[in-house]
Amino acid sequence: MSRGGGKGPSLKDKLDGNELDLSLCDLNEVPVRELAALPKATILDLSCNNLISLPSDFCSLLHLVKLDLSKNRLQQLPLDFGRLVNLQHLDLLNNRLVTLPVSFAQLKNLKWLDLKDNPLDPVLAKVAGDCLDEKQCKQAAVKVLQHMKAIQSEQDRQRQRKLQAEREMEKKREAEQRAKEAQEREVRKREKAEEKERRRREYDAQKAAKQEMEKKTKKETVQTRKPASGSRPLQPPRHKHSWSRSVLRVLLFVLLCILCTLAACKLTELQHQPLCISVNTLYEDVLAALQNHKTLQNMLQQNSQQ
């Protein structure tokens, strides 16, 4: 076995039954791989070496029952040191430990513990007490385990409180997010309604403007067609007036024809003809019926005089 690495085929030669003595070997590191190959070595003595720390895979040596790490320069133990659940006897005398990992509380089979001559935290030092005899070392194991379990429980409670706080915070964030999303939906809904109302007003305004323009155009068209004062009348009245004149002319022509017929029947030899007799008779009857009308009478008198 080499002095610095603690590795070599001679490791088995140091095995005495179930005890492996690697003390006073001037080790700077623990030969974990070779130790893992010796599961019968339940008692391991690494005292009086130059160990500053233990590798993390050291905690895989679950077969260890008794471990002596006294008189090294260990400043801390691995965080998962509690994996060594079969450990019953632990000697950490004269190292540089200040605290122990919380997982130390998992060493439920630990019966003996020596923490003397370490710069321990005052609370931990008071809990551990002295280890001057078998009884004190056993009490130290019980008290330190209880103390570490209390620390572990407190840390678990802190983690639970932190987890609960994180969950509540997450729920609060989710609630705030839902409220924010609801508010954004409400804002979008309101903006959509306002946009719809704006478009409706614009449509109504455009429709009203169009109607107003149509009215104005219609009015201007009517005014354009309406004749100005003193100007000639429009064509339809002109046509109507011409039609009235035509009718009047026809009536006058008919009246003239009647008068000519009467004159012919009165003054010529045709008065003895049947047609003239009928005309003269009709004429006499009409004159008799209209004798009482002064105007017609005057007209008839004037006519007779003529």
Side-chain angles (χ1 to χ4, degrees):
M1 180 178 66
S2 62
R3 176 178 283 254
K7 300 178 182 180
S10 61
L11 193 60
K12 291 183 179 181
D13 298 337
K14 291 182 173 292
L15 182 62
D16 184 9
N18 63 342
E19 182 175 354
L20 180 61
D21 187 1
L22 298 179
S23 62
L24 299 171
C25 291
D26 198 20
L27 295 177
N28 294 320
E29 59 182 20
V30 180
V32 177
R33 186 173 300 178
E34 287 76 7
L35 292 174
L38 299 173
K40 293 182 179 181
T42 58
I43 300 175
L44 176 61
D45 188 355
L46 292 170
S47 62
C48 302
N49 282 292
N50 297 319
L51 300 176
I52 297 176
S53 63
L54 299 177
S56 58
D57 56 351
F58 180 84
C59 301
S60 63
L61 303 177
L62 303 182
H63 58 276
L64 294 179
V65 175
K66 183 176 180 180
L67 177 61
D68 189 352
L69 292 169
S70 62
K71 298 181 181 180
N72 277 282
R73 294 184 292 170
L74 294 173
Q75 299 178 1
Q76 61 182 9
L77 298 178
L79 293 178
D80 55 347
F81 192 80
R83 291 176 58 193
L84 302 175
V85 292
N86 294 316
L87 200 61
Q88 299 180 13
H89 187 287
L90 178 59
D91 192 346
L92 294 170
L93 171 70
N94 194 11
N95 276 280
R96 299 177 182 178
L97 297 173
V98 177
T99 60
L100 297 175
V102 178
S103 64
F104 200 91
Q106 301 174 12
L107 300 177
K108 57 183 180 179
N109 293 315
L110 190 64
K111 309 297 183 187
W112 193 97
L113 176 63
D114 189 357
L115 288 171
K116 291 192 309 296
D117 299 330
N118 279 282
L120 296 174
D121 176 81
V123 176
L124 180 58
K126 183 178 180 180
V127 171
D130 293 328
C131 184
L132 302 177
D133 54 30
E134 188 74 13
K135 181 178 180 181
Q136 288 181 344
C137 292
K138 289 183 178 180
Q139 289 178 348
V142 174
K143 291 180 179 180
V144 169
L145 282 179
Q146 290 177 349
H147 176 68
M148 298 309 298
K149 287 180 181 179
I151 293 177
Q152 185 181 48
S153 298
E154 180 60 26
Q155 289 187 355
D156 290 341
R157 284 192 295 269
Q158 289 180 358
R159 281 195 296 270
Q160 288 296 328
R161 286 194 294 267
K162 183 178 180 181
L163 181 61
Q164 184 65 24
E166 290 177 352
R167 289 176 179 174
E168 292 177 357
M169 184 62 67
E170 182 64 23
K171 290 181 180 179
K172 184 178 179 181
R173 284 195 296 267
E174 291 177 354
E176 291 176 351
Q177 182 65 23
R178 288 194 297 269
K180 183 179 179 181
E181 291 175 353
Q183 185 178 4
E184 290 177 352
R185 286 195 299 269
E186 187 64 26
V187 170
R188 289 194 297 269
K189 184 178 179 181
R190 185 169 60 253
E191 290 177 349
K192 185 177 180 180
E194 291 176 354
E195 178 66 16
K196 186 177 180 180
E197 180 64 19
R198 184 185 65 80
R199 292 183 178 180
R200 187 187 65 80
R201 289 196 299 267
E202 289 180 355
Y203 174 78
D204 293 342
Q206 291 176 358
K207 186 176 180 180
K210 184 177 180 181
Q211 292 177 350
E212 185 66 23
M213 183 63 68
E214 290 177 353
K215 289 182 180 179
K216 185 176 180 181
T217 303
K218 186 176 181 181
K219 185 176 180 181
E220 290 177 352
T221 303
V222 172
Q223 289 179 351
T224 303
R225 292 180 178 179
K226 185 176 181 181
S229 178
S231 62
R232 296 178 62 185
L234 296 176
Q235 191 66 21
R238 206 164 47 240
H239 292 168
K240 183 177 180 181
H241 188 63
S242 299
W243 180 81
S244 300
R245 286 183 178 182
S246 300
V247 173
L248 182 60
R249 288 175 181 176
V250 172
L251 291 176
L252 289 175
F253 177 75
V254 172
L255 182 60
L256 181 61
C257 291
I258 295 173
L259 291 176
C260 292
T261 302
L262 288 174
C265 290
K266 284 282 186 182
L267 302 176
T268 64
E269 295 178 354
L270 295 175
Q271 58 183 341
H272 299 292
Q273 294 296 325
L275 178 61
C276 287
I277 294 172
S278 298
V279 172
N280 291 330
T281 303
L282 180 62
Y283 175 72
E284 294 295 335
D285 292 339
V286 171
L287 286 178
L290 296 176
Q291 284 294 330
N292 296 327
H293 198 284
K294 293 180 179 181
T295 303
L296 292 175
Q297 186 177 0
N298 292 332
M299 293 178 62
L300 291 173
Q301 289 177 354
Q302 294 176 0
N303 190 20
S304 298
Q305 291 176 359
Q306 292 177 355

